[in-house]
Amino acid sequence: MNLQITSTTKSVDTTNRPYAIRFSEPLSLIEIQWEKAVGSEELHESLAHLLQEIDEKEPRFLIADTRLLSSLGADDQNWIRNSFLPALNTSTVTKFGRVTEPDVFTQAVLDSILDYVQFERFFGCSMRSFPDRESALEWIYAF
């Protein structure tokens, strides 16, 4: 499946920020991608900004390219688990695809952050990890 996000995609203003957020209304898809490794403050800022955009635009689907976030520490993991994920839980997002590094170590770190999300009856959002954006899109739009 080769879904192309066309001119209907709008980039959210992230001028001078180490991440990009894009939204496609026809696909009900919002995406975030970091352009460099970030520290805790930048991570929190970017995810807070993402949540704000999700609240405003009400997408059904989310893709986060987390390949540059492999250096997350325990405090960042706890913040994601205790702040970001509960806020995402109350949003309109029903499927969350994470693009991750294919190496086992990075995958294990990111999976440890989000273990409890697999209990979809509690979370209300399906989540999976993928090696690339195309695989995530195929899963998101599969029926």
Side-chain angles (χ1 to χ4, degrees), residues 24-88:
S24 173
E25 187 172 357
L27 296 177
S28 193
L29 173 70
I30 195 161
E31 297 183 69
I32 186 167
Q33 180 174 10
W34 286 267
E35 298 164 356
K36 66 174 190 160
V38 296
S40 293
E41 186 175 320
E42 293 167 314
L43 175 69
H44 298 192
E45 174 192 324
S46 61
L47 292 178
H49 187 186
L50 176 63
L51 289 170
Q52 176 185 1
E53 294 298 325
I54 289 171
D55 284 345
E56 180 181 316
K57 294 171 174 47
E58 300 183 340
R60 291 182 51 215
F61 311 114
L62 167 62
I63 293 180
D65 186 333
T66 63
R67 290 178 287 189
L68 294 176
L69 301 182
S70 61
S71 62
L72 293 177
D75 289 342
D76 296 322
Q77 293 175 19
N78 287 331
W79 183 85
I80 289 170
R81 186 178 10 250
N82 297 324
S83 297
F84 175 73
L85 290 177
L88 186 63

Side-chain angles (χ1 to χ4, degrees), residues 81-99:
R81 186 178 10 250
N82 297 324
S83 297
F84 175 73
L85 290 177
L88 186 63
N89 182 34
T90 62
S91 77
T92 57
V93 173
T94 60
K95 284 189 171 181
F96 174 12
R98 291 182 300 131
V99 178

Side-chain angles (χ1 to χ4, degrees), residues 95-108:
K95 284 189 171 181
F96 174 12
R98 291 182 300 131
V99 178
T100 62
E101 286 292 340
D103 70 83
V104 176
F105 177 73
T106 301
Q107 185 68 36

